[in-house]
């Protein structure tokens, strides 16, 4: 293992939310007497601010360039929103730590779901959110909305949309929780695998991986590992219309997942519970249940 440099370089996207996340991890490391600096890296997803995510290149839209910088040694660690990380990691990289996560639920800003008028325009560029919205309210006009959290809130206030759906964690981290008209339950809108969690990624076996270990939160790691195993079992794409949500309390895990056709007309739902260390086995059972309900055909890209 190589010795840790005196100054640890953290790679991050340049959005307000990404920088909040990077600074949060930097502050935790500072508390361990580790000096840091943040290197802003522009990703493919950042260069395509108006393109629908599903059309912009699939896996790794917000992570590939950062992972490349890790592999070539330009940075020592990266801070990602875990839900943006593909389930298959590049050789030579590891998720060194997953801190305790923020609330993983989705929120609707603008108007409560049940109060939206017939045919109202709702913004989201998430296939998962779009499909579940249409399953709940097939009358809605669900349209893409891209941009950082503050940009999406601005578009809502300009009247481009009656409401938008986005992660509650992002609103909370940016001090914008009061923008949420309603927090959607996992039964209404099953979250994305890993939503609300941060991933600290390093080179495998690197000194940076070892120093990040104290930041790892085992119940969160167990929960998101189960969620990501469900996503991986259904195809691995972080933009598939699939939700997975696991909770760990006192060593016990409860997990639920959905797969929805893009138009919201077909939905498969499965759940399981058991000992938290058996989360991967629980995930496998949930995947089998979803596939037996036809989930594979529902989420197949055309």
């Amino acid at each position: 293992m190589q010795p840790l440099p005196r100054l640890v370089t953290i790679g991050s996207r340049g959005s307000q939310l990404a920088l909040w996340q990077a600074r949060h991890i930097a502050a935790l490391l500072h508390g361990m007497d580790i000096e840091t600096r943040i290197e802003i890296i522009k990703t493919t997803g950042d260069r395509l601010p108006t393109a629908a995510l599903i059309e912009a290149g699939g896996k790794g839209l917000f992570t590939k360039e950062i992972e490349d910088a890790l592999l070539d040694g330009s940075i020592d660690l990266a801070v990602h929103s875990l839900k943006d990380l593909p389930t298959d990691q590049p050789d030579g990289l590891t998720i060194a730590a997953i801190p305790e996560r923020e609330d993983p639920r989705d929120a609707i800003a603008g108007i409560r779901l049940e109060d939206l008028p017939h045919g109202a325009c709702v913004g989201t560029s998430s296939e998962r959110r779009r499909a579940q919205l249409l399953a709940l309210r097939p009358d809605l006009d669900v349209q893409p909305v891209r941009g950082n959290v503050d940009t999406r809130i601005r578009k809502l206030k300009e009247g481009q949309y009656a409401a938008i759906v986005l992660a509650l964690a992002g609103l909370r981290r940016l001090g914008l929780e009061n923008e949420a008209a309603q927090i959607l339950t996992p039964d209404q809108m099953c979250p994305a695998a890993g939503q609300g969690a941060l991933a600290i990624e390093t080179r495998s076996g690197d000194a940076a991986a070892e120093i990040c270990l104290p930041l790892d939160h085992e119940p969160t790691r167990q929960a998101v590992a189960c969620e990501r195993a469900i996503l991986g079992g259904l195809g691995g794409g972080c933009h598939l219309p699939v939700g997975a949500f696991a909770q760990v309390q006192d060593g016990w895990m409860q997990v639920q997942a959905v797969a929805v056709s893009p138009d919201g007309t077909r939905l498969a739902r499965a759940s399981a519970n058991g000992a938290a260390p058996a989360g991967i086995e629980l995930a496998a059972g949930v995947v089998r249940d979803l596939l037996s309900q036809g989930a594979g055909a529902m989420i197949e890209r055309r």
Side-chain angles (χ1 to χ4, degrees):
M1 180 181 297
Q2 295 181 348
L4 188 70
R6 293 182 64 183
L7 185 66
V8 174
T9 301
I10 300 173
S12 171
R13 296 173 57 211
S15 72
Q16 283 188 332
L17 180 57
L19 287 173
W20 183 98
Q21 295 170 170
R23 289 166 182 155
H24 174 65
I25 298 303
L28 295 177
L29 291 173
H30 289 168
M32 298 161 55
D33 294 324
I34 296 165
E35 293 302 315
T36 64
R37 63 178 290 271
I38 295 173
E39 178 77 20
I40 296 175
I41 299 170
K42 184 167 283 193
T43 67
T44 299
D46 298 316
R47 294 188 183 98
L48 299 168
T50 60
L53 289 177
I54 201 67
E55 298 171 353
K59 297 180 184 180
L61 278 174
F62 297 108
T63 59
K64 183 181 182 302
E65 287 81 0
I66 297 174
E67 290 181 326
D68 288 345
L70 264 179
L71 289 168
D72 69 22
S74 301
I75 60 175
D76 300 302
L77 61 88
V79 179
H80 304 284
S81 292
L82 184 59
K83 70 181 179 64
D84 291 334
L85 269 183
T87 53
D88 48 343
Q89 273 192 290
D91 291 340
L93 299 182
T94 187
I95 298 177
I98 301 173
E100 185 172 5
R101 75 170 161 185
E102 179 56 91
D103 193 319
R105 293 176 294 175
D106 286 297
I108 185 165
I111 306 175
R112 293 176 60 86
L113 184 64
E114 57 267 31
D115 296 333
L116 283 166
H118 184 91
C121 181
V122 179
T124 176
S125 286
S126 159
E127 288 285 297
R128 173 190 60 85
R129 291 176 183 138
R130 172 186 168 81
Q132 291 186 83
L133 276 171
L134 291 174
L136 290 166
R137 289 282 307 267
D139 62 291
L140 294 176
D141 177 20
V142 184
Q143 293 293 329
V145 55
R146 284 294 312 277
N148 300 326
V149 173
D150 53 333
T151 300
R152 283 178 273 168
I153 294 291
R154 175 179 56 77
K155 290 178 178 180
L156 169 68
K157 292 185 173 181
E158 288 174 350
Q160 297 183 37
Y161 306 89
I164 58 173
V165 181
L166 64 177
L168 177 61
L171 291 176
R172 284 188 169 176
R173 285 168 175 155
L174 293 175
L176 297 172
E177 187 177 1
N178 62 347
E179 297 290 350
Q182 181 181 10
I183 298 172
L184 300 170
T185 69
D187 289 334
Q188 293 173 304
M189 177 78 64
C190 192
Q195 185 159 300
L198 302 181
I200 304 174
E201 190 176 31
T202 67
R203 291 178 289 277
S204 302
D206 194 81
E210 184 174 356
I211 67 160
C212 291
L213 285 178
L215 304 182
D216 196 61
H217 185 250
E218 185 177 14
T220 296
R221 181 179 279 274
Q222 291 172 329
V224 299
C226 176
E227 295 166 5
R228 284 165 64 81
I230 292 169
L231 186 61
L234 293 172
C238 52
H239 302 302
L240 292 177
V242 171
F245 174 52
Q247 298 179 89
V248 174
Q249 186 172 11
D250 298 327
W252 193 256
M253 179 180 292
Q254 295 180 311
V255 57
Q256 63 187 91
V258 298
V260 195
S261 63
D263 61 3
T265 59
R266 294 176 293 159
L267 183 148
R269 189 183 299 273
S271 62
N273 59 78
I280 301 302
E281 289 78 11
L282 292 176
V286 167
V287 169
R288 287 193 297 270
D289 193 348
L290 291 172
L291 291 174
S292 74
Q293 297 176 54
M298 291 180 200
I299 64 177
E300 184 181 53
R301 290 184 183 162
R302 289 169 171 76

